[in-house]
Amino acid sequence: GAVVSQHPSWVICKSGTSVKIECRSLDFQATTMFWYRQFPKQSLMLMATSNEGSKATYEQGVEKDKFLINHASLTLSTLTVTSAHPEDSSFYICSARDYNGNTEAFFGQGTRLTVV
Amino acid sequence: RKEVEQDPGPFNVPEGATVAFNCTYSNSASQSFFWYRQDCRKEPKLLMSVYSSGNEDGRFTAQLNRASQYISLLIRDSKLSDSATYLCVVKTPGAGSYQLTFGKGTKLSVIP
């Protein structure tokens, strides 16, 4: 199946700093990538849809100025958590879909962010 | 009513047992349905798609009832390695594309 690589897998940062998470599709072109957040014992919640070459579409309640998304190429999308606070600590997962007839989503390995 | 609802469990079953998970969805326009498996602190991975006629993959059987908006997953002869959280996922058309909605998941622990 298609491979999506996410980096870093975990990060600890100080409150007030910014953290960048990368999501790459390794063997297919992904015009659209998705960013999710998952708190403990909760479901994956879609944060935003990242479209190559255009602005991301954010879900209701997600601050676009806090969670900056850049999708500069067909294989790379980045999520930057700006001025992180402890309440931003969560598991962030990206996914990309292969539009060659497949409907399943391929997920990155996830990034566990801890803000101290 | 939540968009995708699952019994959170946990389900604690002995090896070799048969266990069934249920899921209901609220949007009747939903088109496709999946079961994903998520291990602790890992990303979800596709277990199987769910078809209207029902489908089986080894020890796993998935069924869909569109009229009742209900999906199920049956695991026979449980193995220790089946311990994980099982996510019910529903694909729903949206503006120009589609969206996947995830249930909270049902946790399964298979005990020796």
Side-chain angles (χ1 to χ4, degrees), chain A residues 25-69:
Chain A
S25 56
L26 297 186
D27 56 356
F28 67 101
Q29 292 183 334
T31 54
T32 305
M33 291 185 176
F34 304 85
W35 288 96
Y36 295 85
R37 180 166 55 182
Q38 186 178 34
F39 291 106
K41 299 185 180 181
Q42 299 294 315
S43 62
L44 274 74
M45 295 301 296
L46 180 65
M47 297 175 66
T49 301
S50 168
N51 302 297
E52 187 268 335
S54 64
K55 292 182 179 180
T57 304
Y58 290 81
E59 296 300 301
Q60 190 173 8
V62 179
E63 300 175 56
K64 62 180 181 180
D65 294 330
K66 180 170 181 64
F67 299 99
L68 301 179
I69 290 174

CSV table of all heavy atoms in Angstrom, one decimal, chain A residues 25-69:
chain,number,residue,atom,x,y,z
A,25,SER,N,4.2,12.0,1.4
A,25,SER,CA,3.7,10.8,0.7
A,25,SER,C,4.9,10.3,-0.1
A,25,SER,O,5.5,11.1,-0.9
A,25,SER,CB,2.5,11.1,-0.3
A,25,SER,OG,2.9,12.2,-1.2
A,26,LEU,N,5.3,9.1,0.1
A,26,LEU,CA,6.6,8.6,-0.4
A,26,LEU,C,6.5,8.0,-1.8
A,26,LEU,O,7.4,8.0,-2.6
A,26,LEU,CB,7.2,7.6,0.6
A,26,LEU,CG,7.5,8.1,1.9
A,26,LEU,CD1,8.2,7.0,2.8
A,26,LEU,CD2,8.4,9.4,1.8
A,27,ASP,N,5.4,7.4,-2.1
A,27,ASP,CA,5.3,6.7,-3.4
A,27,ASP,C,4.1,7.1,-4.2
A,27,ASP,O,3.7,6.3,-5.2
A,27,ASP,CB,5.4,5.2,-3.2
A,27,ASP,CG,4.3,4.7,-2.3
A,27,ASP,OD1,3.5,5.5,-1.7
A,27,ASP,OD2,4.2,3.4,-2.1
A,28,PHE,N,3.5,8.2,-3.9
A,28,PHE,CA,2.3,8.6,-4.7
A,28,PHE,C,2.2,10.1,-4.5
A,28,PHE,O,2.7,10.7,-3.5
A,28,PHE,CB,1.0,7.9,-4.4
A,28,PHE,CG,0.5,8.2,-3.0
A,28,PHE,CD1,-0.5,9.1,-2.8
A,28,PHE,CD2,1.0,7.6,-1.9
A,28,PHE,CE1,-1.1,9.4,-1.6
A,28,PHE,CE2,0.5,7.9,-0.6
A,28,PHE,CZ,-0.5,8.8,-0.4
A,29,GLN,N,1.5,10.8,-5.4
A,29,GLN,CA,1.3,12.2,-5.3
A,29,GLN,C,-0.1,12.4,-4.6
A,29,GLN,O,-1.1,11.9,-5.0
A,29,GLN,CB,1.3,12.8,-6.7
A,29,GLN,CG,2.6,12.8,-7.4
A,29,GLN,CD,2.6,13.5,-8.7
A,29,GLN,OE1,1.6,13.6,-9.4
A,29,GLN,NE2,3.8,14.0,-9.1
A,30,ALA,N,0.0,13.3,-3.6
A,30,ALA,CA,-1.2,13.6,-2.8
A,30,ALA,C,-1.6,15.0,-3.0
A,30,ALA,O,-1.0,15.9,-2.4
A,30,ALA,CB,-1.0,13.2,-1.4
A,31,THR,N,-2.6,15.3,-3.8
A,31,THR,CA,-3.0,16.7,-4.0
A,31,THR,C,-3.7,17.2,-2.7
A,31,THR,O,-3.7,18.4,-2.5
A,31,THR,CB,-4.0,16.8,-5.1
A,31,THR,OG1,-5.1,15.9,-5.0
A,31,THR,CG2,-3.3,16.5,-6.5
A,32,THR,N,-4.2,16.2,-1.9
A,32,THR,CA,-4.8,16.6,-0.7
A,32,THR,C,-4.3,15.8,0.5
A,32,THR,O,-4.2,14.6,0.4
A,32,THR,CB,-6.4,16.4,-0.8
A,32,THR,OG1,-6.9,17.1,-1.9
A,32,THR,CG2,-7.1,16.9,0.5
A,33,MET,N,-4.0,16.4,1.5
A,33,MET,CA,-3.6,15.8,2.8
A,33,MET,C,-4.5,16.3,3.9
A,33,MET,O,-5.0,17.4,3.8
A,33,MET,CB,-2.1,16.0,3.1
A,33,MET,CG,-1.2,15.3,2.1
A,33,MET,SD,0.6,15.5,2.6
A,33,MET,CE,1.4,14.5,1.4
A,34,PHE,N,-4.5,15.5,4.9
A,34,PHE,CA,-5.4,15.8,6.1
A,34,PHE,C,-4.7,15.8,7.4
A,34,PHE,O,-3.8,14.9,7.6
A,34,PHE,CB,-6.6,14.8,6.1
A,34,PHE,CG,-7.4,14.7,4.8
A,34,PHE,CD1,-6.9,13.9,3.8
A,34,PHE,CD2,-8.5,15.5,4.6
A,34,PHE,CE1,-7.6,13.8,2.6
A,34,PHE,CE2,-9.2,15.4,3.4
A,34,PHE,CZ,-8.7,14.6,2.4
A,35,TRP,N,-5.0,16.7,8.2
A,35,TRP,CA,-4.4,16.7,9.6
A,35,TRP,C,-5.4,16.5,10.6
A,35,TRP,O,-6.5,17.1,10.6
A,35,TRP,CB,-3.7,18.1,9.8
A,35,TRP,CG,-2.5,18.3,9.0
A,35,TRP,CD1,-2.3,18.9,7.8
A,35,TRP,CD2,-1.2,17.8,9.3
A,35,TRP,NE1,-1.0,18.8,7.3
A,35,TRP,CE2,-0.3,18.2,8.2
A,35,TRP,CE3,-0.6,17.1,10.4
A,35,TRP,CZ2,1.1,17.8,8.2
A,35,TRP,CZ3,0.7,16.8,10.4
A,35,TRP,CH2,1.5,17.1,9.3
A,36,TYR,N,-5.1,15.5,11.5
A,36,TYR,CA,-6.0,15.1,12.6
A,36,TYR,C,-5.3,15.3,13.9
A,36,TYR,O,-4.1,15.3,14.0
A,36,TYR,CB,-6.4,13.6,12.5
A,36,TYR,CG,-7.2,13.2,11.3
A,36,TYR,CD1,-6.5,12.9,10.1
A,36,TYR,CD2,-8.6,13.1,11.3
A,36,TYR,CE1,-7.3,12.5,9.0
A,36,TYR,CE2,-9.3,12.7,10.2
A,36,TYR,CZ,-8.6,12.4,9.0
A,36,TYR,OH,-9.4,12.0,7.9
A,37,ARG,N,-6.1,15.4,14.9
A,37,ARG,CA,-5.6,15.5,16.3
A,37,ARG,C,-6.4,14.5,17.1
A,37,ARG,O,-7.6,14.3,16.9
A,37,ARG,CB,-5.8,16.9,16.9
A,37,ARG,CG,-5.3,17.1,18.3
A,37,ARG,CD,-5.2,18.6,18.6
A,37,ARG,NE,-6.5,19.3,18.4
A,37,ARG,CZ,-6.7,20.6,18.6
A,37,ARG,NH1,-5.7,21.3,19.0
A,37,ARG,NH2,-7.9,21.1,18.4
A,38,GLN,N,-5.7,13.8,18.0
A,38,GLN,CA,-6.3,12.8,18.8
A,38,GLN,C,-5.9,12.9,20.3
A,38,GLN,O,-4.7,12.8,20.6
A,38,GLN,CB,-6.0,11.4,18.3
A,38,GLN,CG,-6.8,10.3,19.0
A,38,GLN,CD,-6.4,8.9,18.5
A,38,GLN,OE1,-5.3,8.6,18.1
A,38,GLN,NE2,-7.4,8.0,18.5
A,39,PHE,N,-6.8,13.3,21.1
A,39,PHE,CA,-6.6,13.3,22.5
A,39,PHE,C,-6.8,11.9,23.1
A,39,PHE,O,-7.5,11.1,22.5
A,39,PHE,CB,-7.5,14.4,23.2
A,39,PHE,CG,-7.1,15.8,22.8
A,39,PHE,CD1,-8.0,16.5,21.9
A,39,PHE,CD2,-6.0,16.4,23.3
A,39,PHE,CE1,-7.6,17.8,21.6
A,39,PHE,CE2,-5.7,17.7,22.9
A,39,PHE,CZ,-6.5,18.4,22.1
A,40,PRO,N,-6.2,11.7,24.3
A,40,PRO,CA,-6.3,10.3,24.9
A,40,PRO,C,-7.8,9.9,25.0
A,40,PRO,O,-8.7,10.6,25.4
A,40,PRO,CB,-5.7,10.5,26.3
A,40,PRO,CG,-4.7,11.6,26.1
A,40,PRO,CD,-5.4,12.6,25.1
A,41,LYS,N,-8.0,8.6,24.6
A,41,LYS,CA,-9.3,8.0,24.6
A,41,LYS,C,-10.4,8.7,23.8
A,41,LYS,O,-11.5,8.5,24.1
A,41,LYS,CB,-9.8,7.8,26.1
A,41,LYS,CG,-8.8,7.0,26.9
A,41,LYS,CD,-9.3,6.7,28.3
A,41,LYS,CE,-8.4,5.9,29.1
A,41,LYS,NZ,-8.9,5.6,30.5
A,42,GLN,N,-9.9,9.5,22.9
A,42,GLN,CA,-10.9,10.2,22.0
A,42,GLN,C,-10.7,9.7,20.5
A,42,GLN,O,-9.6,9.1,20.2
A,42,GLN,CB,-10.7,11.7,22.1
A,42,GLN,CG,-10.9,12.3,23.5
A,42,GLN,CD,-12.3,12.2,23.9
A,42,GLN,OE1,-13.3,12.4,23.1
A,42,GLN,NE2,-12.5,11.7,25.1
A,43,SER,N,-11.6,10.1,19.7
A,43,SER,CA,-11.5,9.7,18.3
A,43,SER,C,-10.6,10.7,17.6
A,43,SER,O,-10.3,11.8,18.1
A,43,SER,CB,-12.9,9.7,17.6
A,43,SER,OG,-13.5,11.0,17.7
A,44,LEU,N,-10.2,10.4,16.4
A,44,LEU,CA,-9.4,11.3,15.6
A,44,LEU,C,-10.4,12.4,15.1
A,44,LEU,O,-11.5,12.2,14.7
A,44,LEU,CB,-8.9,10.6,14.3
A,44,LEU,CG,-7.6,9.9,14.4
A,44,LEU,CD1,-7.7,8.6,15.1
A,44,LEU,CD2,-7.0,9.6,13.0
A,45,MET,N,-9.9,13.6,15.3
A,45,MET,CA,-10.7,14.8,14.9
A,45,MET,C,-10.0,15.5,13.8
A,45,MET,O,-8.8,15.9,13.9
A,45,MET,CB,-10.9,15.7,16.1
A,45,MET,CG,-11.8,15.1,17.2
A,45,MET,SD,-13.4,14.6,16.7
A,45,MET,CE,-14.1,16.1,16.2
A,46,LEU,N,-10.7,15.7,12.7
A,46,LEU,CA,-10.1,16.4,11.6
A,46,LEU,C,-9.9,17.9,11.9
A,46,LEU,O,-10.8,18.5,12.4
A,46,LEU,CB,-11.0,16.3,10.3
A,46,LEU,CG,-10.5,17.0,9.1
A,46,LEU,CD1,-9.2,16.3,8.5
A,46,LEU,CD2,-11.6,17.0,8.0
A,47,MET,N,-8.7,18.3,11.7
A,47,MET,CA,-8.3,19.7,12.0
A,47,MET,C,-8.5,20.6,10.7
A,47,MET,O,-9.0,21.6,10.7
A,47,MET,CB,-6.9,19.9,12.5
A,47,MET,CG,-6.7,19.2,13.8
A,47,MET,SD,-4.9,19.3,14.3
A,47,MET,CE,-4.7,21.1,14.6
A,48,ALA,N,-7.9,20.0,9.7
A,48,ALA,CA,-7.8,20.8,8.4
A,48,ALA,C,-7.5,19.9,7.2
A,48,ALA,O,-6.9,18.8,7.4
A,48,ALA,CB,-6.8,21.9,8.5
A,49,THR,N,-7.9,20.4,6.1
A,49,THR,CA,-7.6,19.7,4.8
A,49,THR,C,-6.6,20.6,4.1
A,49,THR,O,-6.8,21.8,3.9
A,49,THR,CB,-8.9,19.6,4.0
A,49,THR,OG1,-9.8,18.8,4.7
A,49,THR,CG2,-8.6,18.9,2.7
A,50,SER,N,-5.5,20.0,3.7
A,50,SER,CA,-4.4,20.7,3.1
A,50,SER,C,-4.4,20.4,1.6
A,50,SER,O,-4.3,19.3,1.2
A,50,SER,CB,-3.1,20.2,3.7
A,50,SER,OG,-2.0,20.6,3.0
A,51,ASN,N,-4.5,21.5,0.8
A,51,ASN,CA,-4.6,21.3,-0.6
A,51,ASN,C,-3.3,21.9,-1.3
A,51,ASN,O,-2.9,23.0,-1.0
A,51,ASN,CB,-5.8,22.1,-1.2
A,51,ASN,CG,-7.1,21.6,-0.6
A,51,ASN,OD1,-7.5,20.4,-0.8
A,51,ASN,ND2,-7.8,22.4,0.1
A,52,GLU,N,-2.7,21.1,-2.1
A,52,GLU,CA,-1.5,21.5,-2.8
A,52,GLU,C,-1.7,22.8,-3.6
A,52,GLU,O,-2.6,22.9,-4.4
A,52,GLU,CB,-0.9,20.4,-3.7
A,52,GLU,CG,0.4,20.7,-4.3
A,52,GLU,CD,0.4,21.4,-5.6
A,52,GLU,OE1,-0.6,21.2,-6.3
A,52,GLU,OE2,1.4,22.0,-6.0
A,53,GLY,N,-0.8,23.8,-3.3
A,53,GLY,CA,-0.9,25.1,-4.0
A,53,GLY,C,-2.0,26.0,-3.6
A,53,GLY,O,-2.1,27.1,-4.3
A,54,SER,N,-2.7,25.7,-2.6
A,54,SER,CA,-3.8,26.7,-2.2
A,54,SER,C,-3.9,26.7,-0.7
A,54,SER,O,-3.2,25.9,0.0
A,54,SER,CB,-5.1,26.3,-2.8
A,54,SER,OG,-5.6,25.1,-2.4
A,55,LYS,N,-4.8,27.5,-0.2
A,55,LYS,CA,-4.9,27.6,1.3
A,55,LYS,C,-5.6,26.4,1.8
A,55,LYS,O,-6.5,25.8,1.2
A,55,LYS,CB,-5.7,28.9,1.6
A,55,LYS,CG,-5.0,30.2,1.4
A,55,LYS,CD,-5.8,31.3,1.8
A,55,LYS,CE,-5.1,32.7,1.5
A,55,LYS,NZ,-5.9,33.8,1.9
A,56,ALA,N,-5.3,26.1,3.1
A,56,ALA,CA,-5.9,24.9,3.7
A,56,ALA,C,-7.3,25.3,4.2
A,56,ALA,O,-7.7,26.5,4.4
A,56,ALA,CB,-5.1,24.5,4.9
A,57,THR,N,-8.1,24.3,4.3
A,57,THR,CA,-9.5,24.5,4.8
A,57,THR,C,-9.6,24.0,6.2
A,57,THR,O,-9.3,22.8,6.5
A,57,THR,CB,-10.5,23.7,3.9
A,57,THR,OG1,-10.4,24.1,2.5
A,57,THR,CG2,-11.9,23.9,4.4
A,58,TYR,N,-9.9,24.8,7.1
A,58,TYR,CA,-9.9,24.5,8.5
A,58,TYR,C,-11.3,24.1,9.0
A,58,TYR,O,-12.3,24.7,8.6
A,58,TYR,CB,-9.4,25.6,9.4
A,58,TYR,CG,-7.9,25.9,9.2
A,58,TYR,CD1,-7.4,26.6,8.1
A,58,TYR,CD2,-7.0,25.4,10.1
A,58,TYR,CE1,-6.1,26.8,7.9
A,58,TYR,CE2,-5.6,25.6,9.9
A,58,TYR,CZ,-5.2,26.3,8.8
A,58,TYR,OH,-3.8,26.5,8.6
A,59,GLU,N,-11.4,23.2,9.9
A,59,GLU,CA,-12.6,22.8,10.5
A,59,GLU,C,-13.0,23.8,11.6
A,59,GLU,O,-12.2,24.6,12.1
A,59,GLU,CB,-12.5,21.4,11.2
A,59,GLU,CG,-12.2,20.3,10.2
A,59,GLU,CD,-13.3,20.1,9.2
A,59,GLU,OE1,-14.5,19.9,9.5
A,59,GLU,OE2,-13.0,20.2,7.9
A,60,GLN,N,-14.3,23.8,11.9
A,60,GLN,CA,-14.8,24.8,12.8
A,60,GLN,C,-14.1,24.6,14.2
A,60,GLN,O,-14.0,23.5,14.7
A,60,GLN,CB,-16.3,24.6,13.0
A,60,GLN,CG,-17.0,25.7,13.8
A,60,GLN,CD,-18.5,25.5,13.7
A,60,GLN,OE1,-19.0,24.5,13.2
A,60,GLN,NE2,-19.2,26.5,14.3
A,61,GLY,N,-13.7,25.7,14.8
A,61,GLY,CA,-13.1,25.7,16.1
A,61,GLY,C,-11.6,25.5,16.0
A,61,GLY,O,-10.9,25.6,17.1
A,62,VAL,N,-11.0,25.4,14.8
A,62,VAL,CA,-9.5,25.2,14.7
A,62,VAL,C,-9.0,26.6,14.2
A,62,VAL,O,-9.4,27.1,13.2
A,62,VAL,CB,-9.2,24.1,13.7
A,62,VAL,CG1,-7.6,24.0,13.6
A,62,VAL,CG2,-9.7,22.8,14.2
A,63,GLU,N,-8.1,27.1,15.0
A,63,GLU,CA,-7.5,28.4,14.7
A,63,GLU,C,-6.5,28.3,13.6
A,63,GLU,O,-5.4,27.7,13.8
A,63,GLU,CB,-6.9,29.0,16.0
A,63,GLU,CG,-7.8,29.2,17.1
A,63,GLU,CD,-7.0,29.7,18.4
A,63,GLU,OE1,-6.3,30.7,18.3
A,63,GLU,OE2,-7.1,29.0,19.4
A,64,LYS,N,-6.8,29.0,12.5
A,64,LYS,CA,-5.8,28.9,11.4
A,64,LYS,C,-4.5,29.6,11.6
A,64,LYS,O,-3.5,29.3,11.0
A,64,LYS,CB,-6.5,29.4,10.1
A,64,LYS,CG,-6.9,30.9,10.1
A,64,LYS,CD,-7.6,31.3,8.8
A,64,LYS,CE,-7.9,32.7,8.8
A,64,LYS,NZ,-8.6,33.2,7.5
A,65,ASP,N,-4.6,30.7,12.5
A,65,ASP,CA,-3.3,31.4,12.7
A,65,ASP,C,-2.5,30.7,13.7
A,65,ASP,O,-1.3,31.0,13.9
A,65,ASP,CB,-3.7,32.8,13.3
A,65,ASP,CG,-4.4,33.7,12.2
A,65,ASP,OD1,-4.1,33.4,11.0
A,65,ASP,OD2,-5.2,34.5,12.6
A,66,LYS,N,-3.0,29.7,14.4
A,66,LYS,CA,-2.3,29.0,15.4
A,66,LYS,C,-1.7,27.7,14.8
A,66,LYS,O,-0.6,27.3,15.0
A,66,LYS,CB,-3.1,28.6,16.6
A,66,LYS,CG,-2.4,27.8,17.6
A,66,LYS,CD,-3.2,27.6,18.9
A,66,LYS,CE,-2.4,26.8,19.9
A,66,LYS,NZ,-1.2,27.6,20.3
A,67,PHE,N,-2.5,27.1,13.9
A,67,PHE,CA,-2.0,25.9,13.2
A,67,PHE,C,-1.8,26.2,11.8
A,67,PHE,O,-2.8,26.1,10.9
A,67,PHE,CB,-3.1,24.8,13.4
A,67,PHE,CG,-3.3,24.4,14.9
A,67,PHE,CD1,-4.4,24.9,15.6
A,67,PHE,CD2,-2.5,23.5,15.5
A,67,PHE,CE1,-4.6,24.6,16.9
A,67,PHE,CE2,-2.7,23.2,16.8
A,67,PHE,CZ,-3.7,23.7,17.5
A,68,LEU,N,-0.6,26.5,11.4
A,68,LEU,CA,-0.3,26.9,10.1
A,68,LEU,C,0.0,25.7,9.2
A,68,LEU,O,0.8,24.9,9.6
A,68,LEU,CB,1.0,27.8,10.1
A,68,LEU,CG,0.8,29.1,10.9
A,68,LEU,CD1,2.1,29.9,10.9
A,68,LEU,CD2,-0.3,30.0,10.4
A,69,ILE,N,-0.7,25.6,8.1
A,69,ILE,CA,-0.5,24.5,7.2
A,69,ILE,C,0.0,25.0,5.8
A,69,ILE,O,-0.5,26.0,5.3
A,69,ILE,CB,-1.8,23.8,7.0
A,69,ILE,CG1,-2.2,23.1,8.3
A,69,ILE,CG2,-1.7,22.8,5.8
A,69,ILE,CD1,-3.6,22.4,8.3
